[in-house]
């Protein structure tokens, strides 16, 4: 089954669409009891391209950032990947040529960094979204799917739980009521070790004055035979560039 495609669709009658499309890495079967069995499927978006794609090209002097984008996407054609969302690139003409060599994912990371953007596989496409851009806009409150109370964390963004909405994905701008966010605070231990809040290494993640937050990570939890049907979001203030704890993202990935 390796590299076979799996597609997951979720939502509600009036808003149901694809939330995941990826390639199977491995599967295994198990048994919960004498009557109930299950199959676990491990899959990832763009898995074959991420694992195997390499690049070995030389771009002549006079190139612009869109030329680099085109060159990098060419190496993904045989994996069935296409260019997805894009922002506006700097059109500065480079005076010297450029060598692209190595794992494609590493070159994509360098390219995104040079353009102050984030890149990711989304189904069969590759998105490169500038950090100061967003792909769509959604207002979240208790009448539109918000669950519980959003939580401000120490260095880990703003955590939000809501009903599964396929329109909310990394890059979405969500609107929250700042008055309804649980604020984080340093523990007594942290205050003692760092000499107070101001001198601490990790500060509470910034709140946006207008209540606008960009989604950077989404984890889905669903059970068609149970009551679980929600998603958890990690968000950052729209107008702040915040260094997030890698442990926060890793923990969310494990829970998913």
């Amino acid at each position: 089954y390796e590299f076979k495609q799996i597609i997951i669709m979720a939502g509600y009658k009036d808003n149901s669409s694809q939330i995941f499309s990826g390639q199977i890495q491995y599967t295994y079967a198990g048994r919960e009891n004498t009557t109930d069995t299950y199959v676990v499927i491990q899959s990832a978006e763009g898995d074959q391209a991420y694992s195997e794609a390499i690049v070995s090209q030389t771009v002549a002097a006079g190139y612009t950032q869109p030329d680099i984008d085109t060159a990098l996407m060419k190496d993904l054609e045989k994996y069935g990947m296409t260019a997805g969302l894009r922002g506006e690139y700097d059109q500065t003409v480079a005076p010297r040529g450029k060598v692209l060599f190595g794992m494609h994912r590493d070159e994509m990371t360098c390219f995104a960094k040079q353009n102050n953007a984030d890149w990711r596989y989304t189904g069969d496409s590759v998105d490169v979204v500038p950090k100061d851009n967003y792909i769509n806009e959604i207002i979240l409150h208790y009448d539109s799917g918000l669950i519980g109370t959003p939580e401000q964390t120490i260095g880990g963004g703003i955590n939000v739980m809501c009903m599964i909405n396929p329109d909310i994905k990394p890059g979405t701008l969500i609107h929250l009521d700042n008055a309804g966010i649980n604020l984080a605070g340093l523990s007594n231990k942290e205050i003692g070790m760092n000499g107070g809040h101001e001198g601490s290494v990790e500060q509470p993640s910034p709140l946006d004055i207008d209540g606008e937050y960009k989604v950077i990570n989404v984890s889905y939890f669903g059970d068609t035979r149970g009551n679980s049907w929600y998603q958890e979001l990690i968000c950052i203030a729209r107008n702040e560039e915040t260094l997030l704890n890698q442990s926060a993202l890793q923990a969310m990935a494990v829970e998913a």
Side-chain angles (χ1 to χ4, degrees):
Y1 294 104
E2 187 176 11
F3 299 138
K4 294 290 185 180
Q5 200 79 5
I6 180 172
I7 296 174
I8 299 175
M9 301 184 69
Y12 298 87
K13 186 175 180 180
D14 59 345
N15 184 21
S16 177
S17 63
Q18 179 179 300
I19 61 172
F20 177 82
S21 175
Q23 296 170 321
I24 295 174
Q25 296 173 319
Y26 65 84
T27 65
Y28 65 87
R31 180 180 292 276
E32 291 186 345
N33 50 52
T34 56
T35 58
D36 297 325
T37 60
Y38 60 85
V39 176
V40 173
I41 301 174
Q42 173 76 29
S43 62
E45 292 178 304
D47 182 49
Q48 189 172 17
Y50 181 85
S51 302
E52 300 179 1
I54 59 175
V55 56
S56 180
Q57 297 187 49
T58 299
V59 184
Y63 71 83
T64 60
Q65 291 304 303
D67 296 327
I68 299 297
D69 188 10
T70 300
L72 288 172
M73 288 307 304
K74 186 174 181 60
D75 290 291
L76 293 185
E77 290 178 355
K78 66 178 181 180
Y79 298 99
M81 307 295 292
T82 59
L85 296 172
R86 292 294 189 275
E88 293 186 7
Y89 290 128
D90 182 359
Q91 297 293 329
T92 301
V93 176
R96 293 183 292 275
K98 182 180 181 67
V99 175
L100 303 173
F101 181 79
M103 294 301 296
H104 185 274
R105 59 177 184 262
D106 296 333
E107 289 293 340
M108 280 300 304
T109 299
C110 291
F111 173 69
K113 185 176 181 179
Q114 290 170 355
N115 289 277
N116 193 33
D118 297 311
W119 79 277
R120 59 181 173 270
Y121 297 110
T122 303
D124 295 328
S125 64
V126 178
D127 294 342
V128 181
V129 181
K131 292 181 180 294
D132 58 356
N133 288 176
Y134 55 91
I135 60 175
N136 57 354
E137 192 170 357
I138 291 177
I139 297 175
L140 261 185
H141 49 72
Y142 295 105
D143 292 333
S144 61
L146 184 65
I147 300 174
T149 305
E151 297 278 346
Q152 179 191 38
T153 69
I154 302 295
I158 309 299
N159 293 341
V160 180
M161 181 185 295
C162 64
M163 303 298 287
I164 291 180
N165 182 344
D167 293 332
I168 299 177
K169 58 195 71 177
T172 293
L173 185 72
I174 64 171
H175 292 254
L176 298 173
D177 179 4
N178 282 343
I181 297 177
N182 273 347
L183 302 182
L186 294 175
S187 67
N188 290 335
K189 180 180 179 181
E190 288 172 314
I191 292 174
M193 291 177 62
N194 296 291
H197 186 94
E198 185 176 347
S200 65
V201 176
E202 293 289 353
Q203 298 289 320
S205 297
L207 298 184
D208 184 83
I209 191 171
D210 297 316
E212 298 181 342
Y213 298 89
K214 186 175 180 180
V215 178
I216 62 170
N217 191 78
V218 181
S219 296
Y220 299 95
F221 301 81
D223 186 348
T224 57
R225 298 185 180 183
N227 296 321
S228 296
W229 198 260
Y230 62 93
Q231 60 193 68
E232 291 185 349
L233 319 174
I234 297 179
C235 312
I236 58 174
R238 178 182 180 183
N239 293 321
E240 293 285 347
E241 289 189 7
T242 307
L243 181 62
L244 300 179
N245 289 332
Q246 288 302 307
S247 58
L249 296 176
Q250 291 167 359
M252 188 69 77
V254 170
E255 291 174 1

